[in-house]
Amino acid sequence: ETGVTQTPRHLVMGMTNKKSLKCEQHLGHNAMYWYKQSAKKPLELMFVYNFKEQTENNSVPSRFSPECPNSSHLFLHLHTLQPEDSALYLCASSQLTGNSPLHFGNGTRLTVT
Amino acid sequence: AQSVTQLDSQVPVFEEAPVELRCNYSSSVSVYLFWYVQYPNQGLQLLLKYLSGSTLVKGINGFEAEFNKSQTSFHLRKPSVHISDTAEYFCAVSEIGGQTGANNLFFGTGTRLTVIP
């Protein structure tokens, strides 16, 4: 149990589908993040939420749409994805202090067909 | 600008042998340093961190790392590896006094450690 739970663990979707990834943290943290992990690339920070407010969108295509209804839950809504969007999507949370480490979920393995 | 370099993308090592995974960084200011481990089909897990004080940091599972400011390195070591140490290891850096949270955390590309029986 990592304290950060992601569902589903695996997702296969066609390019015309709409799906959502869910993340929940039970650690009392006030910041949550979405990362994309692709083979042979550094982790890519996609979205940052501090106290439910989005503070960062690192040039992510609009086919990815985040939602943070409260400080414990984070969603990533997906629509009209491309095959190159296939990757492991990781959710993380932390306290908003300079030396606070990130706590990661186990990720959702997304395959776009 | 910050950058983190993990020169070795793959490191095979025999069981019970020592291992060192290298991490170098560049930054114009002081930094916090982290090592994360990712086991197959899991997310990243904090292995150890250097914030201040002693440059030798001990983490979970028998790993340790040494901060060398003059060489801007933070190499990870274990004197005797086990099969269960097979995983991907990520070095990460954040600037002291910079933004808080993930905005200020830069990861290397990872080193895949494979322990051979």
Side-chain angles (χ1 to χ4, degrees), chain A residues 28-67:
Chain A
H29 290 160
N30 44 34
M32 297 186 76
Y33 319 95
W34 281 115
Y35 279 90
K36 177 183 179 182
Q37 186 178 29
S38 305
K40 307 300 182 186
K41 290 185 178 180
L43 279 170
E44 300 175 49
L45 180 62
M46 300 175 71
F47 298 106
V48 176
Y49 278 85
N50 295 338
F51 296 103
K52 304 186 301 178
E53 300 295 323
Q54 183 176 322
T55 60
E56 195 77 19
N57 173 343
N58 289 327
S59 303
V60 179
S62 59
R63 57 186 183 270
F64 295 91
S65 174
E67 179 189 1

Side-chain angles (χ1 to χ4, degrees), chain B residues 76-99:
Chain B
L76 182 70
R77 302 186 184 99
K78 186 170 182 178
S80 176
V81 295
H82 301 133
I83 295 291
S84 60
D85 293 323
T86 293
E88 188 98 20
Y89 292 80
F90 294 90
C91 182
V93 171
S94 68
E95 290 186 337
I96 296 174
Q99 295 185 66

Side-chain angles (χ1 to χ4, degrees), chain A:
Chain A
E1 176 60 51
T2 65
V4 179
T5 304
Q6 288 187 245
T7 54
R9 291 296 308 275
H10 301 273
L11 178 62
V12 179
M13 58 186 290
M15 290 190 286
T16 58
N17 291 158
K18 290 185 179 180
K19 297 286 184 182
S20 295
L21 310 185
K22 179 182 176 182
C23 177
E24 185 174 358
Q25 59 100 359
H26 310 277
L27 301 169
H29 290 160
N30 44 34
M32 297 186 76
Y33 319 95
W34 281 115
Y35 279 90
K36 177 183 179 182
Q37 186 178 29
S38 305
K40 307 300 182 186
K41 290 185 178 180
L43 279 170
E44 300 175 49
L45 180 62
M46 300 175 71
F47 298 106
V48 176
Y49 278 85
N50 295 338
F51 296 103
K52 304 186 301 178
E53 300 295 323
Q54 183 176 322
T55 60
E56 195 77 19
N57 173 343
N58 289 327
S59 303
V60 179
S62 59
R63 57 186 183 270
F64 295 91
S65 174
E67 179 189 1
C68 188
N70 55 60
S71 58
S72 298
H73 294 84
L74 186 64
F75 296 89
L76 187 62
H77 304 300
L78 316 171
H79 64 97
T80 60
L81 294 191
Q82 304 299 310
E84 61 264 28
D85 296 323
S86 298
L88 181 68
Y89 288 84
L90 292 165
C91 174
S93 69
S94 75
Q95 295 290 14
L96 279 175
T97 58
N99 57 18
S100 178
L102 270 58
H103 293 253
F104 286 85
N106 285 329
T108 296
R109 174 69 62 186
L110 174 66
T111 303
V112 181
T113 61

Side-chain angles (χ1 to χ4, degrees), chain B residues 8-65:
Chain B
D8 305 306
S9 60
Q10 296 188 58
V11 173
V13 63
F14 286 103
E15 192 174 14
E16 298 183 4
V19 70
E20 178 179 85
L21 306 183
R22 296 181 293 169
C23 174
N24 289 86
Y25 68 92
S26 66
S27 176
S28 57
V29 300
S30 296
V31 296
Y32 298 124
L33 297 154
F34 307 84
W35 274 100
Y36 286 83
V37 59
Q38 185 176 30
Y39 297 106
N41 301 314
Q42 293 186 24
L44 279 69
Q45 176 185 353
L46 182 68
L47 199 57
L48 51 79
K49 61 184 178 182
Y50 172 79
L51 304 180
S52 64
S54 172
T55 56
L56 184 62
V57 180
K58 294 189 183 299
I60 61 172
N61 302 336
F63 283 92
E64 63 181 30

